[in-house]
Amino acid sequence: LHSHSINAMLATLISDETFRVTHLEMMKGVRGVGYADELVVPILENTAHEHDLAGAMAEAMERYPKTQAVLVRRHGVYVWGRDWVEAKTQAECYDYLFEAAVRMRQLGLDPAAKP
């Protein structure tokens, strides 16, 4: 799935090479991730044309084999799953986590810090 979610786009602006969060309930909705784990989503730099992301996308998927999402800076997110139902569920969880992280930063909190 691909989304131009404002939450995903803003998450790319508060992160460097990767988006990272921990100890947030909705992490449990992402396959292979638990509450106390660190969820890591790679961030690609945007390009003028979407098809130009293919090489960087493949590299990010190889470098981060546990992820089911890749963010594109100032653009949005790609999310996948075993089927469309899992992809949709994970997309909803990722979007929640992106929004939570942005709001936490606004409050001066680090979403990647253990409580």
Side-chain angles (χ1 to χ4, degrees):
L1 301 175
H2 176 55
S3 166
H4 294 113
S5 159
I6 190 79
N7 296 323
M9 187 278 296
L10 290 172
T12 71
L13 299 179
I14 64 164
S15 306
D16 293 322
E17 292 181 16
T18 57
F19 169 86
R20 295 173 182 268
V21 294
T22 190
H23 289 80
L24 294 173
E25 178 64 21
M26 292 302 281
M27 290 171 51
K28 295 178 191 176
V30 176
R31 181 172 22 103
V33 181
Y35 172 78
D37 294 335
E38 180 181 51
L39 178 96
V40 179
V41 180
I43 301 174
L44 307 180
E45 294 303 323
N46 202 358
T47 60
H49 304 285
E50 221 166 358
H51 66 269
D52 293 334
L53 292 170
M57 179 79 72
E59 183 180 320
M61 293 168 81
E62 288 177 17
R63 190 168 175 201
Y64 299 92
K66 292 183 179 182
T67 192
Q68 284 94 52
V70 173
L71 287 158
V72 180
R73 191 156 336 267
R74 297 177 178 268
H75 181 126
V77 65
Y78 290 87
V79 179
W80 55 91
R82 289 179 236 182
D83 56 29
W84 73 268
V85 175
E86 183 181 72
K88 180 182 178 294
T89 300
Q90 292 192 146
E92 291 170 354
C93 293
Y94 277 113
D95 196 65
Y96 174 98
L97 294 166
F98 298 148
E99 181 177 5
V102 169
R103 290 187 184 202
M104 288 174 77
R105 283 288 175 99
Q106 289 173 331
L107 295 170
L109 303 170
D110 181 356
K114 294 180 181 180

